[in-house]
Amino acid sequence: MTMICSLKKGPSLYTLACLMISVAYASRAAPNFKVKAVNLGGWLVTEGWIKPSLFDGIPNRDLLDGYQYNLKSVKHGKYLCAENGGGTIIVANRTNASGWEAFRLWRISETKFNFRVFNKQFIGLDTQGDGATVVAISNTTGASEVFEILRRDDDRNRAKTEDSVTADFVGNGGWGDEDPSVFLIGFMGAMAGEFQVTNGYGPEKAPQDHWNTFVTEQDFKFISVNGLNAVRIPVGWWIASDPTPPKPYVGGSLNALDNAFSWAKKHDLKVIIDLHAAKGSQNGNEHSSSRDGSIEWGRDDSNIQETVAVIDFLAARHLITSRLYARNPALLAVELLNEPRAPGVSLDSLVKYYKAGYDAVRKHSSTAYVVMSNRLSASDSRELFPLASGLRGSVIDVHYYNIFSSTFDTMTVQENIDFIYNNRSAELNSITTSNGPLTFIGEWVAEWRVKGATKEEYQRFGKAQLDVYGRASFGWAYWTLKNVNNHWSMEWMIQNGYIKL
């Protein structure tokens, strides 16, 4: 590091000038400590599997946005299908249900819905034709795309438009096998994220108290006294519009983030702000607040600029103490986007966004690290190096799980541990260079596909990951602090002696 000092009278002034320059350029190299962090997942961005009870009070909770169903006619014994995946008529002639026979819900109320098909059109009446033919040709929703689901306990359901029962059948209100408006609904997939929980309850009933109770100052104290030195906090794009974000989102998460910075400062912890959910969803998963599993982020410049504005807001945010996040000693880094997925998010769009997001952070801080997540499913783990290597204080984030691949389905305890020491170590080495971006294992967990593993085997698996991921030049963050699934909860793992830091 080159240090430039101005000559002043008196050694104390000389030293101060040198230190100011040193701080301004500190982020050229690795931090003077390795990040040992835990993610605060499921707090400010809902993930239903982390705390399923959040969804318990939603009426028709199995009919939320993004739930996928097939519809089997009881009269014909065949499945409804969006011919060619959408863009033309709906038929009822399929003997098996797959992608074209899957309909994704957009929830309007407890009983009224839009149905979205494989190619993202919505089912409705052909208003340009006879007004009765059911089609999937519209990319937007209106009155002719609204359906009501009437239920019976044996899962026979009647689907009708607001205007008529199926296209041309009046119906008699019964549930007989000869009634062409009656269908058996078959479950094909679910989502349980922020969009689902807020739209499911509605803005008046959405559980805002979760932000005040799920993570508290006591948790920050627990994190601090148990050998961790940082938290990675996932946030959603709607936080920049708090306290009145667009529907269905509700206000309150910004105040919780403000509290987190105060607690972090008090308990000597660093904060990594992680934009976990971008508008439109960057990966189609529930943890990015996707409405129905689609990836809509990064398709145009306006969407990218909206996301840059969120980063700018977070980097410039005033705390209640009148300090900026950017000037708060707790702020360590801003992660521009979590887990964008290839090929839905193109590399060109992502690089364009990352450069603009980096500049937005630098407007407010010369010392905060800027974290850039690798794309999921990308073939080249170094694809961001041409950009990141030229940016001071840049960090590449990779996530390592021995779960989300069939590769791990039959691995033994020792094979999993060997995979960490051999394969993961090699992967980390391949993205670690002396003159490139820093490396961060932003998510990992001591859970696997092994059935019936002992506590000692879990301890060995956790230790292997701590050994290898501790070599990352920026550090690591465990997923997550709290979870009803014990081994996914670092709190539980520490309290029960499965992990020692």
Side-chain angles (χ1 to χ4, degrees), residues 79 104 118 123 152 173 202 228 240 244 261 319:
Y79 292 96
R104 290 172 288 172
F118 186 84
I123 293 181
R152 203 172 80 171
L228 296 161
T244 55
F261 269 91
L319 285 170

Side-chain angles (χ1 to χ4, degrees), residues 174-396:
W175 297 88
D177 289 349
E178 295 303 312
D179 189 334
S181 70
V182 177
F183 300 87
L184 295 176
I185 289 186
F187 175 76
M188 299 184 75
M191 300 188 73
E194 189 76 24
F195 199 101
Q196 285 72 34
V197 74
T198 53
N199 201 40
Y201 279 107
E204 291 77 23
K205 298 180 180 179
Q208 293 168 280
D209 61 322
H210 169 72
W211 293 324
N212 300 320
T213 58
F214 188 61
V215 174
T216 67
E217 184 181 349
Q218 285 302 112
D219 295 306
F220 276 68
K221 181 179 179 180
F222 173 85
I223 291 166
S224 180
V225 301
N226 278 285
L228 296 161
N229 57 26
V231 289
R232 180 174 179 254
I233 305 180
V235 301
W237 64 271
W238 54 90
I239 197 172
S241 301
D242 210 278
T244 55
K247 293 181 180 180
Y249 303 105
V250 294
S253 61
L254 182 59
N255 183 65
L257 183 61
D258 287 347
N259 289 337
F261 269 91
S262 297
W263 299 334
K265 181 181 178 183
K266 181 178 179 179
H267 295 285
D268 197 26
L269 294 170
K270 298 298 183 183
V271 174
I272 301 167
I273 304 176
D274 157 42
L275 184 58
H276 218 70
K279 187 176 182 180
S281 178
Q282 71 276 16
N283 53 38
N285 294 328
E286 62 186 33
H287 58 69
S288 62
S289 195
S290 175
R291 182 169 191 173
D292 66 4
S294 301
I295 301 175
E296 309 286 356
W297 181 86
R299 300 297 173 86
D300 55 59
D301 286 346
S302 63
N303 182 224
I304 290 176
Q305 289 308 312
E306 282 183 299
T307 313
V308 172
V310 174
I311 296 298
D312 185 87
F313 171 85
L314 290 169
R317 167 69 185 161
H318 277 279
L319 285 170
I320 55 176
T321 58
S322 296
R323 288 181 176 270
L324 295 170
Y325 284 173
R327 296 175 186 172
N328 190 300
L331 178 67
L332 178 66
V334 176
E335 182 152 3
L336 301 179
L337 194 62
N338 177 71
E339 293 186 346
R341 181 177 295 278
V345 173
S346 72
L347 182 59
D348 288 345
S349 294
L350 188 62
V351 167
K352 182 176 183 178
Y353 165 67
Y354 277 166
K355 181 60 173 68
Y358 176 90
D359 291 342
V361 175
R362 285 287 169 261
K363 275 177 28 182
H364 306 284
S365 173
S366 61
T367 59
Y369 292 89
V370 181
V371 184
M372 305 175 192
S373 175
N374 267 357
R375 290 190 302 166
L376 297 176
S377 304
S379 58
D380 181 6
S381 61
R382 293 168 62 100
E383 66 178 13
L384 296 176
F385 270 54
L387 169 68
S389 294
L391 300 177
R392 173 173 52 86
S394 63
V395 181
I396 297 296

Side-chain angles (χ1 to χ4, degrees), residues 22-163:
S22 176
V23 169
Y25 287 89
S27 56
R28 287 187 182 277
N32 57 10
F33 68 100
K34 288 290 185 71
V35 172
K36 295 187 293 183
V38 64
N39 285 278
L40 304 186
W43 184 29
L44 305 186
V45 178
T46 298
E47 297 188 38
W49 70 285
I50 291 177
K51 188 180 177 182
S53 61
L54 279 177
F55 293 76
D56 285 350
I58 299 177
N60 280 340
R61 57 176 292 187
D62 58 343
L63 296 176
L64 299 179
D65 292 274
Y67 272 57
Q68 293 187 55
Y69 289 97
N70 57 61
L71 299 171
K72 188 176 184 179
S73 169
V74 297
K75 178 178 175 63
H76 302 291
K78 301 289 182 65
Y79 292 96
L80 292 191
C81 171
E83 198 73 282
N84 299 323
T88 183
I89 61 173
I90 300 295
V91 297
N93 60 9
R94 297 300 201 271
T95 56
N96 297 296
S98 187
W100 291 2
E101 293 76 39
F103 302 99
R104 290 172 288 172
L105 299 183
W106 278 28
R107 181 174 171 126
I108 300 170
S109 68
E110 294 178 19
T111 59
K112 294 181 180 180
F113 305 86
N114 303 131
F115 291 90
R116 206 177 191 193
V117 301
F118 186 84
N119 289 336
K120 301 183 181 179
Q121 296 93 347
F122 294 91
I123 293 181
L125 298 182
D126 184 6
T127 57
Q128 302 301 314
D130 58 13
T133 302
V134 180
V135 295
I137 58 176
S138 178
N139 293 315
T140 59
T141 59
S144 66
E145 285 77 36
V146 177
F147 289 78
E148 184 177 1
I149 295 180
L150 304 178
R151 312 186 66 164
R152 203 172 80 171
D153 289 341
D154 63 0
D155 286 330
R156 286 193 172 190
N157 298 269
R158 172 186 293 272
K160 66 177 183 178
T161 71
E162 286 190 319
D163 302 316

